[in-house]
Amino acid sequence: TCALPIFRSIDVRYTNDAASNFSIRYDGKKPELMCGNVILNADTLLLYQYMNQYRNVVYEYVVTESFPQAKKDSILNSKPFVQIGVTDKAGKRTLVEGFYRASTAQDIDPNGNQLPFDPDRMYALLNNKDFLLVQYFQFDRLMMKPSLFLKN
């Protein structure tokens, strides 16, 4: 069985893929999947499982003062590729914005081509305050598309 969600809503927004933006609203009885203002016919169990993924999300570390300020400013002045907002039952909103991290010389595809971005980590801005390094391993499970929740 799934634990009851502790959230009122989850909003996932993709900068370059607006068709994949979605929200989940939970009134304490049944979660609803929404794209824009349209309620979709979603599998409730899949929504509960997804919502429970938010219970234990961790980051690698807070990027410290040793990180060059100019580099941090450059990253934060770019557009985040994803924004995830969570509102808890008390109405407190938490916002995480994800930014691509540049690849290194070791980040190559199977054909030997340089990857444009780090395949394992991204930067994140938490509540417009804390600048973090996070692993896709933690965030891939949150960055879903609404079609994954639809009933067959």
Side-chain angles (χ1 to χ4, degrees):
T1 64
C2 292
L4 290 176
I6 55 174
F7 311 109
R8 182 182 297 164
S9 67
I10 297 171
D11 301 295
V12 180
R13 303 282 175 260
Y14 299 97
T15 303
N16 295 321
D17 187 12
S20 294
N21 293 347
F22 70 94
S23 299
I24 297 175
R25 302 286 180 253
Y26 182 64
D27 62 3
K29 296 177 185 167
K30 181 180 175 188
E32 292 180 331
L33 176 66
M34 301 180 72
C35 286
N37 292 324
V38 178
I39 298 173
L40 302 176
N41 188 20
D43 183 314
T44 304
L45 181 58
L46 292 177
L47 292 178
Y48 279 124
Q49 289 172 341
Y50 174 75
M51 293 169 74
N52 280 320
Q53 294 296 314
Y54 284 82
R55 289 184 175 272
N56 190 25
V57 179
V58 297
Y59 56 87
E60 197 161 338
Y61 63 85
V62 176
V63 178
T64 64
E65 290 76 27
S66 63
F67 193 79
Q69 186 65 41
K71 185 174 180 180
K72 179 180 175 182
D73 290 344
S74 174
I75 293 165
L76 294 178
N77 285 329
S78 66
K79 279 188 176 182
F81 72 92
V82 65
Q83 294 176 312
I84 301 173
V86 178
T87 304
D88 68 16
K89 286 183 177 182
K92 179 183 175 197
R93 183 154 175 83
T94 301
L95 178 65
V96 175
E97 297 175 281
F99 299 86
Y100 290 116
R101 182 176 186 229
S103 62
T104 65
Q106 293 80 26
D107 295 325
I108 56 172
D109 69 16
N111 297 323
N113 300 313
Q114 180 71 39
L115 295 173
F117 304 108
D118 184 329
D120 299 317
R121 293 174 182 82
M122 67 179 182
Y123 294 114
L125 185 63
L126 177 62
N127 290 329
N128 212 22
K129 182 179 129 191
D130 294 319
F131 189 56
L132 312 171
L133 184 65
V134 299
Q135 296 179 357
Y136 285 113
F137 175 78
Q138 287 291 321
F139 277 78
D140 277 348
R141 60 194 167 117
L142 308 180
M143 296 186 296
M144 298 291 176
K145 307 292 183 182
S147 59
L148 296 172
F149 304 112
L150 299 178
K151 287 185 179 177
N152 292 333

